[in-house]
Amino acid sequence: MTIYFGTDHAGFELKENLVPYVRDELGYEVEDLGAHEYNEDDDYPDVIAPVATTVSADPENNRGIILGGSGQGEAIVANRFPRVRAVVFNGQYAPGDGRDIPHEIELSREHNNSNVLSLGARFLSVEEAREAVKQWLETPFSGDERHIRRLKKIEELTNHLYR
């Protein structure tokens, strides 16, 4: 599996930290699709589209990690591409009322077989981002019939809309 990275200026510094972490410490093949230098005037669709195109072409063997200020716009761009299932992560919610809630990174993989992780660089520390990436890369899709059925329905919607 190859992990493709893309970011605009807001996530540039965090991407520069995550690329060697994923390659050297976690042992994945990595391709950095940009930005390759800090440019405060860049536009996130320009750097996210190449990642989404690559994941869309082979969603079972490619994954993407995209970054921006909040990660929201980046995920919107990525989700325009067929077979891309991008999720946003800005930090694990911890309710103040003592409820035990599942970890959304795990659910995004186990239930939705997400293949693009969109990180909000303005919300996460380097350590939080590293932990999220590690957890996302290491959590497998459950393969449960109900999740497969739901993903097929999403695929059918995409096929219907983009004929």
Side-chain angles (χ1 to χ4, degrees):
M1 175 187 333
T2 302
I3 313 303
Y4 293 87
F5 277 84
T7 188
D8 68 357
H9 61 279
F12 182 77
E13 185 177 328
L14 185 56
K15 178 195 62 95
E16 292 295 292
N17 184 286
L18 291 175
V19 166
Y21 170 71
V22 171
R23 181 188 59 232
D24 302 336
E25 293 184 44
L26 298 183
Y28 289 90
E29 184 175 331
V30 168
E31 290 212 27
D32 183 350
L33 301 181
H36 297 292
E37 60 185 40
Y38 180 85
N39 175 359
E40 69 180 46
D41 293 324
D42 63 7
D43 295 320
Y44 61 85
D46 298 334
V47 290
I48 300 308
V51 174
T53 298
T54 304
V55 173
S56 179
D58 190 359
E60 300 309 317
N61 294 307
N62 296 328
R63 289 206 205 158
I65 297 175
I66 57 179
L67 302 94
S70 71
Q72 301 291 343
E74 293 74 16
I76 290 169
V77 171
N79 280 320
R80 299 280 182 178
F81 291 76
R83 296 173 300 281
V84 169
R85 294 176 300 278
V87 296
V88 176
F89 185 74
N90 286 322
Q92 177 65 28
Y93 173 69
D97 61 5
R99 285 178 289 139
D100 186 27
I101 61 170
H103 201 288
E104 64 181 319
I105 288 285
E106 291 174 359
L107 289 181
S108 80
R109 288 287 309 131
E110 291 171 349
H111 293 195
N112 306 115
N113 199 15
S114 62
N115 51 23
V116 173
L117 178 61
S118 186
L119 298 174
R122 293 184 178 133
F123 294 82
L124 298 167
S125 69
V126 169
E127 201 51 49
E128 289 167 331
R130 282 179 167 210
E131 181 56 35
V133 164
K134 183 178 190 294
Q135 191 172 32
W136 184 73
L137 289 171
E138 293 179 352
T139 300
F141 175 54
S142 72
D144 289 352
E145 184 278 327
R146 66 188 172 124
H147 301 308
I148 292 171
R149 181 181 69 241
R150 293 167 185 164
L151 292 174
K152 283 182 182 178
K153 288 181 179 186
I154 294 170
E155 190 68 27
E156 289 169 6
L157 285 170
T158 304
N159 291 338
H160 173 74
L161 293 171
Y162 294 104
R163 284 186 189 184

